[in-house]
Amino acid sequence: MPNPETRQFIERMGLAVERMGLTRTFGRLFGLLMVADRPLSLDEIVERLDVSKASVSTNARACEELGLARRVGVRGDRRDYYEIAPRAFESVTAKRVGAIHAMAGLAAEGLQAVGDEPSPARDRLTEMLDFYLFMGEQIEELLERWREVKG
Amino acid sequence: MPNPETRQFIERMGLAVERMGLTRTFGRLFGLLMVADRPLSLDEIVERLDVSKASVSTNARACEELGLARRVGVRGDRRDYYEIAPRAFESVTAKRVGAIHAMAGLAAEGLQAVGDEPSPARDRLTEMLDFYLFMGEQIEELLERWREVKG
DNA sequence: TAGAACGTTTAGTCAATACTGAACGCTTTT
DNA sequence: AAAAGCGTTCAGTATTGACTAAACGTTCTA
């Protein structure tokens, strides 16, 4: 399984995730789990990624927190195993929708701040509010549709 | 205009933008431009944000690069003035769609890497590919619809 | 009950990077 | 032609934060 193409995929996932504001190691972990043909233990991840166990432990738990991975048990084994969570992409996208709502909330606060008189600032904030309300609502509907088709 | 609510808005925008992987100063600059009632010069921004002119210069240009702000001229004045660009939110969201396409591309590479035989990895990568193709396409349509309504 | 196996926590290190102050180049003014 | 105004660049600084190694607590095993 450690063929060159797979390694490259893991590495590119690391870079892609890093570009999104998370860390490269986190992205590599996610990439590794994506191409793994079975759940992996912490030590297996340590070996495949060549990072410390402490880092893997932290990142794996963060991955779980985000809904990207989940911990699974293996019969007759007391180690923790990790695998990609079902609906991982939906759940991470749902988190993004949360950020969109936050932007809408910020826009609303901005409108409070600039007062009632018409102004360019007011127009911009109104546009921001409308845009993020629209996007948040619509993307939620997209997720809904996706779940209907694939869920 | 430097009332407490406005200051708070700027500060929260700084934090929100920072959480998205950019810098706090960048977010504050964007927030300031959002609530400004006219284009601002570098020195005005320096004063309002209390950061060095070098930093403002760099961040303002980055803001322009991202399509969030634009430089405007003021008659009889040779300074640069900045204001929020029209369709700023559309353009930043369009950039996000680019990231979604990149994820789809990565999924395709992953499928190459894991080979043709059925496997959990293959299933996951296929789901990832389908999901991001769907989302990329649909969000582009959302932007289209938004432009029709507001553009 | 001692010891091994696991995962987590924490103190410390190191690298990345955003910001500052100063120098620079260009333009305008006097 | 000198000086002031303006934006940019660059070297240096400081802060942030991810990672490592070691200690720790807990659970299982011999």
Side-chain angles (χ1 to χ4, degrees), chain A residues 23 25-26 50-52 54-55 59 78:
Chain A
T23 72
T25 303
F26 184 94
D50 203 28
V51 291
S52 74
S55 180
N59 279 301
R78 66 190 176 95

CSV table of all heavy atoms in Angstrom, one decimal, chain A residues 23 25-26 50-52 54-55 59 78, chain D residues 17-22 26-29:
chain,number,residue,atom,x,y,z
A,23,THR,N,-3.3,22.2,9.6
A,23,THR,CA,-1.9,21.9,9.4
A,23,THR,C,-1.6,20.8,8.4
A,23,THR,O,-2.5,20.0,8.1
A,23,THR,CB,-1.3,21.4,10.8
A,23,THR,OG1,-1.8,20.1,11.1
A,23,THR,CG2,-1.7,22.4,11.9
A,25,THR,N,0.3,18.2,8.8
A,25,THR,CA,0.3,16.9,9.4
A,25,THR,C,-1.2,16.4,9.5
A,25,THR,O,-1.5,15.2,9.2
A,25,THR,CB,0.9,16.9,10.8
A,25,THR,OG1,2.2,17.3,10.7
A,25,THR,CG2,0.8,15.5,11.4
A,26,PHE,N,-2.1,17.3,9.8
A,26,PHE,CA,-3.5,17.0,9.9
A,26,PHE,C,-4.0,16.5,8.5
A,26,PHE,O,-4.7,15.5,8.4
A,26,PHE,CB,-4.3,18.2,10.4
A,26,PHE,CG,-5.7,18.0,10.6
A,26,PHE,CD1,-6.2,17.6,11.8
A,26,PHE,CD2,-6.6,18.0,9.5
A,26,PHE,CE1,-7.6,17.4,12.0
A,26,PHE,CE2,-8.0,17.8,9.7
A,26,PHE,CZ,-8.4,17.5,10.9
A,50,ASP,N,5.6,9.1,9.8
A,50,ASP,CA,6.9,9.4,10.4
A,50,ASP,C,6.8,10.7,11.2
A,50,ASP,O,7.5,11.7,11.0
A,50,ASP,CB,7.9,9.6,9.3
A,50,ASP,CG,9.3,9.5,9.8
A,50,ASP,OD1,9.5,8.8,10.8
A,50,ASP,OD2,10.2,10.1,9.2
A,51,VAL,N,5.8,10.7,12.1
A,51,VAL,CA,5.7,11.8,13.1
A,51,VAL,C,5.6,11.2,14.5
A,51,VAL,O,5.4,10.0,14.6
A,51,VAL,CB,4.5,12.7,12.8
A,51,VAL,CG1,4.7,13.5,11.5
A,51,VAL,CG2,3.2,11.9,12.7
A,52,SER,N,5.7,12.0,15.5
A,52,SER,CA,5.7,11.5,16.8
A,52,SER,C,4.3,11.0,17.2
A,52,SER,O,3.3,11.4,16.6
A,52,SER,CB,6.1,12.6,17.8
A,52,SER,OG,5.0,13.5,18.0
A,54,ALA,N,2.7,11.6,19.9
A,54,ALA,CA,2.0,12.7,20.6
A,54,ALA,C,1.2,13.5,19.5
A,54,ALA,O,0.0,13.8,19.7
A,54,ALA,CB,2.9,13.6,21.3
A,55,SER,N,1.9,13.8,18.4
A,55,SER,CA,1.3,14.5,17.4
A,55,SER,C,0.1,13.8,16.7
A,55,SER,O,-1.0,14.3,16.5
A,55,SER,CB,2.3,14.9,16.3
A,55,SER,OG,1.7,15.6,15.3
A,59,ASN,N,-3.7,15.0,16.6
A,59,ASN,CA,-4.3,15.2,15.3
A,59,ASN,C,-5.5,14.3,15.1
A,59,ASN,O,-6.5,14.7,14.5
A,59,ASN,CB,-3.3,15.1,14.2
A,59,ASN,CG,-2.5,16.4,14.1
A,59,ASN,OD1,-3.0,17.5,13.8
A,59,ASN,ND2,-1.2,16.3,14.2
A,78,ARG,N,-6.8,-4.0,22.3
A,78,ARG,CA,-7.2,-2.8,23.1
A,78,ARG,C,-6.7,-1.5,22.6
A,78,ARG,O,-6.9,-0.4,23.2
A,78,ARG,CB,-6.9,-3.0,24.6
A,78,ARG,CG,-5.4,-3.0,24.9
A,78,ARG,CD,-5.2,-3.4,26.4
A,78,ARG,NE,-3.9,-3.5,26.8
A,78,ARG,CZ,-3.2,-2.6,27.4
A,78,ARG,NH1,-3.7,-1.4,27.6
A,78,ARG,NH2,-1.9,-2.7,27.7
D,17,DG,P,-1.6,31.0,17.4
D,17,DG,OP1,-2.8,31.3,16.6
D,17,DG,OP2,-1.7,31.0,18.9
D,17,DG,O5',-1.1,29.6,17.0
D,17,DG,C5',-0.4,29.5,15.8
D,17,DG,C4',0.4,28.2,15.7
D,17,DG,O4',1.7,28.4,16.3
D,17,DG,C3',-0.2,27.0,16.5
D,17,DG,O3',0.1,25.8,15.9
D,17,DG,C2',0.6,27.1,17.8
D,17,DG,C1',2.0,27.4,17.3
D,17,DG,N9,2.9,27.8,18.3
D,17,DG,C8,2.7,28.5,19.5
D,17,DG,N7,3.8,28.7,20.1
D,17,DG,C5,4.8,28.2,19.3
D,17,DG,C6,6.2,28.2,19.5
D,17,DG,O6,6.8,28.7,20.5
D,17,DG,N1,6.9,27.6,18.5
D,17,DG,C2,6.2,27.1,17.4
D,17,DG,N2,7.0,26.5,16.4
D,17,DG,N3,4.9,27.1,17.2
D,17,DG,C4,4.3,27.7,18.2
D,18,DA,P,-1.2,24.9,15.4
D,18,DA,OP1,-1.9,25.7,14.4
D,18,DA,OP2,-1.9,24.4,16.6
D,18,DA,O5',-0.5,23.7,14.7
D,18,DA,C5',0.4,24.0,13.6
D,18,DA,C4',1.7,23.1,13.8
D,18,DA,O4',2.5,23.7,14.8
D,18,DA,C3',1.4,21.7,14.2
D,18,DA,O3',2.2,20.8,13.4
D,18,DA,C2',1.9,21.6,15.7
D,18,DA,C1',3.0,22.6,15.7
D,18,DA,N9,3.2,23.2,17.0
D,18,DA,C8,2.3,23.7,17.9
D,18,DA,N7,2.8,24.2,19.0
D,18,DA,C5,4.1,24.1,18.8
D,18,DA,C6,5.2,24.4,19.7
D,18,DA,N6,5.1,25.0,20.9
D,18,DA,N1,6.4,24.1,19.2
D,18,DA,C2,6.6,23.6,18.0
D,18,DA,N3,5.6,23.2,17.1
D,18,DA,C4,4.4,23.5,17.6
D,19,DC,P,2.0,19.2,13.3
D,19,DC,OP1,1.9,18.9,11.9
D,19,DC,OP2,0.8,18.9,14.2
D,19,DC,O5',3.3,18.6,14.0
D,19,DC,C5',4.5,19.1,13.5
D,19,DC,C4',5.6,18.8,14.5
D,19,DC,O4',5.4,19.7,15.7
D,19,DC,C3',5.6,17.4,15.1
D,19,DC,O3',6.8,16.7,14.7
D,19,DC,C2',5.5,17.6,16.6
D,19,DC,C1',5.9,19.1,16.8
D,19,DC,N1,5.2,19.7,18.0
D,19,DC,C2,6.0,20.2,19.0
D,19,DC,O2,7.2,20.1,18.9
D,19,DC,N3,5.4,20.8,20.1
D,19,DC,C4,4.1,20.9,20.1
D,19,DC,N4,3.5,21.5,21.2
D,19,DC,C5,3.2,20.4,19.1
D,19,DC,C6,3.8,19.8,18.0
D,20,DT,P,6.9,15.1,15.2
D,20,DT,OP1,7.6,14.4,14.2
D,20,DT,OP2,5.6,14.7,15.7
D,20,DT,O5',7.9,15.2,16.5
D,20,DT,C5',9.1,16.0,16.4
D,20,DT,C4',9.8,15.9,17.7
D,20,DT,O4',9.2,16.8,18.7
D,20,DT,C3',9.9,14.6,18.4
D,20,DT,O3',11.2,14.3,18.7
D,20,DT,C2',9.0,14.6,19.6
D,20,DT,C1',9.0,16.1,19.9
D,20,DT,N1,7.7,16.6,20.5
D,20,DT,C2,7.8,17.3,21.7
D,20,DT,O2,8.8,17.5,22.3
D,20,DT,N3,6.6,17.8,22.2
D,20,DT,C4,5.3,17.6,21.5
D,20,DT,O4,4.3,18.0,22.1
D,20,DT,C5,5.4,16.9,20.3
D,20,DT,C7,4.1,16.6,19.6
D,20,DT,C6,6.5,16.4,19.9
D,21,DA,P,11.7,12.7,19.1
D,21,DA,OP1,13.0,12.5,18.4
D,21,DA,OP2,10.5,11.9,18.8
D,21,DA,O5',11.9,12.8,20.6
D,21,DA,C5',12.6,13.9,21.2
D,21,DA,C4',12.5,14.0,22.7
D,21,DA,O4',11.2,14.5,23.1
D,21,DA,C3',12.5,12.6,23.4
D,21,DA,O3',13.3,12.7,24.6
D,21,DA,C2',11.1,12.2,23.7
D,21,DA,C1',10.5,13.6,23.9
D,21,DA,N9,9.1,13.7,23.6
D,21,DA,C8,8.4,13.1,22.6
D,21,DA,N7,7.1,13.4,22.5
D,21,DA,C5,6.9,14.3,23.6
D,21,DA,C6,5.8,15.0,24.1
D,21,DA,N6,4.6,14.9,23.5
D,21,DA,N1,6.0,15.7,25.2
D,21,DA,C2,7.2,15.8,25.7
D,21,DA,N3,8.3,15.3,25.3
D,21,DA,C4,8.1,14.5,24.3
D,22,DA,P,13.7,11.4,25.4
D,22,DA,OP1,15.1,11.4,25.7
D,22,DA,OP2,13.0,10.2,24.7
D,22,DA,O5',12.9,11.6,26.8
D,22,DA,C5',12.9,12.9,27.3
D,22,DA,C4',11.8,13.1,28.4
D,22,DA,O4',10.5,13.2,27.7
D,22,DA,C3',11.7,11.8,29.3
D,22,DA,O3',11.5,12.3,30.6
D,22,DA,C2',10.4,11.1,28.8
D,22,DA,C1',9.6,12.3,28.3
D,22,DA,N9,8.6,12.0,27.3
D,22,DA,C8,8.7,11.2,26.2
D,22,DA,N7,7.6,11.1,25.5
D,22,DA,C5,6.7,11.9,26.2
D,22,DA,C6,5.3,12.2,25.9
D,22,DA,N6,4.7,11.8,24.9
D,22,DA,N1,4.7,13.1,26.8
D,22,DA,C2,5.4,13.6,27.8
D,22,DA,N3,6.7,13.3,28.2
D,22,DA,C4,7.3,12.5,27.3
D,26,DT,P,-5.5,7.4,37.0
D,26,DT,OP1,-6.7,8.1,37.3
D,26,DT,OP2,-4.6,6.8,38.0
D,26,DT,O5',-5.8,6.3,35.9
D,26,DT,C5',-5.9,6.7,34.6
D,26,DT,C4',-6.1,5.4,33.7
D,26,DT,O4',-4.8,5.0,33.2
D,26,DT,C3',-6.7,4.2,34.3
D,26,DT,O3',-7.8,3.7,33.5
D,26,DT,C2',-5.6,3.2,34.5
D,26,DT,C1',-4.7,3.6,33.3
D,26,DT,N1,-3.3,3.3,33.4
D,26,DT,C2,-2.6,2.6,32.4
D,26,DT,O2,-3.2,2.2,31.4
D,26,DT,N3,-1.3,2.3,32.6
D,26,DT,C4,-0.6,2.7,33.7
D,26,DT,O4,0.6,2.4,33.8
D,26,DT,C5,-1.3,3.4,34.8
D,26,DT,C7,-0.6,3.9,36.0
D,26,DT,C6,-2.6,3.7,34.5
D,27,DT,P,-8.8,2.6,34.1
D,27,DT,OP1,-10.1,3.0,33.7
D,27,DT,OP2,-8.4,2.2,35.5
D,27,DT,O5',-8.4,1.3,33.2
D,27,DT,C5',-8.3,1.4,31.7
D,27,DT,C4',-7.5,0.3,31.1
D,27,DT,O4',-6.1,0.4,31.6
D,27,DT,C3',-8.0,-1.1,31.5
D,27,DT,O3',-8.1,-1.9,30.4
D,27,DT,C2',-6.8,-1.6,32.4
D,27,DT,C1',-5.6,-0.9,31.8
D,27,DT,N1,-4.4,-0.8,32.7
D,27,DT,C2,-3.2,-1.2,32.3
D,27,DT,O2,-3.1,-1.7,31.2
D,27,DT,N3,-2.2,-1.0,33.2
D,27,DT,C4,-2.3,-0.5,34.4
D,27,DT,O4,-1.3,-0.4,35.1
D,27,DT,C5,-3.6,0.0,34.8
D,27,DT,C7,-3.8,0.6,36.2
D,27,DT,C6,-4.6,-0.2,34.0
D,28,DC,P,-9.0,-3.3,30.5
D,28,DC,OP1,-9.8,-3.4,29.3
D,28,DC,OP2,-9.5,-3.4,31.9
D,28,DC,O5',-7.8,-4.4,30.3
D,28,DC,C5',-7.2,-4.6,29.0
D,28,DC,C4',-5.8,-5.1,29.2
D,28,DC,O4',-5.1,-4.5,30.3
D,28,DC,C3',-5.7,-6.6,29.5
D,28,DC,O3',-5.0,-7.3,28.4
D,28,DC,C2',-5.0,-6.7,30.8
D,28,DC,C1',-4.2,-5.4,30.8
D,28,DC,N1,-3.9,-4.9,32.2
D,28,DC,C2,-2.6,-5.0,32.6
D,28,DC,O2,-1.7,-5.4,31.8
D,28,DC,N3,-2.2,-4.5,33.9
D,28,DC,C4,-3.2,-4.1,34.7
D,28,DC,N4,-2.8,-3.6,35.9
D,28,DC,C5,-4.6,-4.0,34.3
D,28,DC,C6,-4.9,-4.4,33.0
D,29,DT,P,-5.1,-8.9,28.3
D,29,DT,OP1,-5.2,-9.2,26.8
D,29,DT,OP2,-6.2,-9.4,29.2
D,29,DT,O5',-3.7,-9.4,28.8
D,29,DT,C5',-2.5,-8.9,28.3
D,29,DT,C4',-1.3,-9.3,29.2
D,29,DT,O4',-1.3,-8.6,30.4
D,29,DT,C3',-1.3,-10.8,29.5
D,29,DT,O3',0.0,-11.3,29.3
D,29,DT,C2',-1.7,-10.8,31.0
D,29,DT,C1',-1.0,-9.5,31.5
D,29,DT,N1,-1.5,-8.9,32.7
D,29,DT,C2,-0.6,-8.5,33.7
D,29,DT,O2,0.6,-8.7,33.6
D,29,DT,N3,-1.2,-8.0,34.8
D,29,DT,C4,-2.6,-7.8,35.1
D,29,DT,O4,-3.0,-7.3,36.1
D,29,DT,C5,-3.4,-8.2,34.0
D,29,DT,C7,-4.9,-8.0,34.2
D,29,DT,C6,-2.9,-8.7,32.9
